[in-house]
């Protein structure tokens, strides 16, 4: 009769070896998975990210436009102050030279008048306080010293103003560079995302829902309701730019950003608009945010932070410069959330 022996149990050492080998295999498998090529993002995922980056890029671009506008103003103001300082210093020098000439004549004639000594001292206030005690103090000399003192005060004040302007200009320049770097970073990130797609998906993302397609049909102005005055000129000029590329910080005539297109179109009608969409949201008359109340030529400002703008042209449409990679074109007026409509 065969005996039934229990299977021999593996030794504790053998179990440890097997367990270690299994753990090593799992770890190696995890490492292989970790170094495997990441899954390619889908078209919808890329589109969502590109749309977000596009909006952030336009926000940064309008921030750049505002900083550049202010920096240009400050630079012009600083130049004017420097010119004033130069003229003021020359006037001060002329006054001082005149006093020195009088003192020289007195010295050659036997000694400097006590009042003149006081005038040429480092404390002109002392002279003005005590000049009356000197019978020799001529009225013309007192007037000259007073003019010298007043001119010095003006010069000191202008120097303070110039220093403040230059300090603000330095801050605006830093803001300008920061916004510029931000725009360029967003653009690079968008291009990297789009580069992961094949040609067909990349084209689909760029075309969007058709309203922002580079191949959008041009609108014939003759099919639109008439405008009048400066608005008529602005609408005509804006529509003439259809097909020209978007480029951030540009105001034409060959490329535009959203607010730059508005500035350019109204400039041809001899109307000056501020540079950014945020500033443009304060011009003229408030028409609310219902496009049904808009008239051709009105500025339609979009989003809560007002970082995009288009021009109403009638028939429920606006002309605008959308974003990088696109061109000036028309879209439905309510394709984006309207913040406010302004009648120029």
């Amino acid at each position: 009769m065969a005996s039934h022996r229990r299977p021999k149990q593996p030794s504790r050492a053998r179990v440890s070896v097997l367990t270690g080998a299994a753990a090593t295999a799992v770890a190696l498998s995890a490492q292989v998975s970790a170094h495997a090529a990441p899954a390619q993002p889908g078209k919808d995922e890329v589109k969502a990210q590109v749309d977000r980056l596009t909006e952030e890029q336009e926000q940064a671009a309008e921030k750049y436009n505002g900083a550049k506008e202010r920096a240009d103003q400050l630079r012009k103001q600083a130049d004017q102050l420097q010119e004033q300082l130069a003229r003021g210093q020359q006037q001060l020098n002329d006054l001082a030279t005149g006093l020195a000439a009088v003192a020289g004549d007195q010295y050659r004639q036997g000694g400097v008048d006590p009042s003149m000594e006081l005038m040429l001292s480092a404390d002109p206030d002392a002279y003005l306080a005590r000049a009356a005690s000197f019978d020799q103090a001529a009225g013309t000399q007192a007037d000259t010293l007073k003019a010298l003192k007043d001119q010095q005060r003006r010069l000191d004040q202008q120097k303070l103003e110039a220093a403040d302007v230059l300090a603000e200009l330095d801050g605006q320049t830093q803001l300008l560079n920061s916004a510029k770097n931000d725009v360029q970073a967003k653009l690079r990130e968008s291009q990297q995302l789009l580069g992961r797609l094949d040609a067909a998906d990349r084209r689909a993302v760029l075309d969007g829902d058709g309203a922002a397609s580079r191949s959008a049909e041009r609108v014939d102005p003759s099919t639109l309701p008439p405008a009048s005055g400066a608005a008529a000129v602005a609408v005509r000029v804006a529509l003439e730019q259809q097909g020209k590329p978007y480029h951030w910080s540009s105001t034409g005539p060959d490329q535009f950003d959203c607010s730059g297109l508005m500035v350019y179109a109204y400039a041809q009608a001899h109307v000056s608009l501020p540079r950014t969409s945020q500033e443009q949201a304060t011009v003229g008359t408030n028409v609310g945010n219902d496009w049904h109340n808009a008239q051709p030529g009105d500025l339609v400002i979009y989003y809560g932070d007002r970082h995009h703008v288009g021009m109403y042209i009638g028939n429920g449409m606006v002309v605008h410069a959308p974003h990088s990679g696109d061109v000036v074109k028309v879209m439905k007026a309510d394709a984006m959330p309207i913040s406010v409509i302004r009648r120029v």
Side-chain angles (χ1 to χ4, degrees), residues 32-280:
V32 170
S33 298
H35 289 86
Q40 288 294 99
K43 180 183 67 177
D44 292 341
E45 180 185 352
V46 169
K47 183 180 186 310
Q49 294 183 62
V50 169
D51 288 347
R52 174 182 58 79
L53 288 168
T54 296
E55 185 172 346
E56 292 174 355
Q57 178 260 315
E58 192 168 15
Q59 290 169 339
E62 287 302 289
K63 186 176 181 180
Y64 172 91
N65 290 338
K68 185 176 186 303
E69 181 180 46
R70 181 59 181 155
D72 290 343
Q73 293 170 350
L74 289 169
R75 198 170 289 110
K76 183 177 181 181
Q77 188 177 351
D79 290 343
Q80 292 172 344
L81 283 170
Q82 292 292 351
E83 291 176 4
Q84 291 176 11
L85 283 171
R87 289 195 300 269
Q89 186 64 57
Q90 184 58 52
Q91 292 170 2
L92 189 68
N93 293 343
D94 292 344
L95 287 170
T97 300
L99 285 176
V102 172
D105 289 342
Q106 290 183 356
Y107 179 79
R108 285 189 292 274
Q109 294 171 8
V112 178
D113 191 307
S115 63
M116 180 60 66
E117 289 182 355
L118 204 52
M119 279 190 284
L120 295 176
S121 73
D123 187 6
D125 283 328
Y127 168 78
L128 292 176
R130 296 168 53 196
S133 65
F134 291 94
D135 293 335
Q136 303 92 334
T140 54
Q141 294 174 352
D143 290 342
T144 301
L145 183 60
K146 186 175 185 302
L148 182 68
K149 187 173 184 297
D150 290 343
Q151 182 60 28
Q152 183 64 63
R153 283 174 177 165
R154 284 193 294 270
L155 199 61
D156 290 342
Q157 181 60 36
Q158 288 171 349
K159 287 178 179 178
L160 289 175
E161 292 176 11
D164 289 342
V165 168
L166 290 173
E168 186 179 353
L169 177 58
D170 182 62
Q172 286 297 316
T173 301
Q174 294 179 29
L175 179 62
L176 196 67
N177 292 334
S178 175
K180 181 179 180 179
N181 292 337
D182 199 13
V183 171
Q184 293 173 335
K186 302 297 183 187
L187 290 173
R188 284 194 300 270
E189 193 173 349
S190 294
Q191 290 302 315
Q192 289 169 358
L193 284 169
L194 291 169
R196 299 180 185 178
L197 300 177
D198 59 36
D201 284 347
R202 184 161 56 248
R203 189 162 50 251
V205 168
L206 291 173
D207 287 348
D209 60 5
S213 171
R214 289 182 65 94
S215 60
E217 293 182 3
R218 294 173 62 94
V219 170
D220 182 355
S222 66
T223 64
L224 300 172
S228 59
V233 175
V235 169
R236 174 182 58 78
V237 171
L239 288 172
E240 287 173 351
Q241 312 314 311
Q242 290 179 93
K244 291 185 178 180
Y246 173 99
H247 187 274
W248 69 280
S249 81
S250 295
T251 57
D254 300 319
Q255 53 191 15
F256 302 89
D257 64 14
C258 67
S259 54
L261 177 63
M262 306 299 108
V263 169
Y264 179 82
Y266 264 102
Q268 311 315 305
H270 306 291
V271 175
S272 177
L273 290 182
R275 178 63 183 91
T276 69
S277 57
Q278 289 87 355
E279 292 173 306
Q280 291 171 9

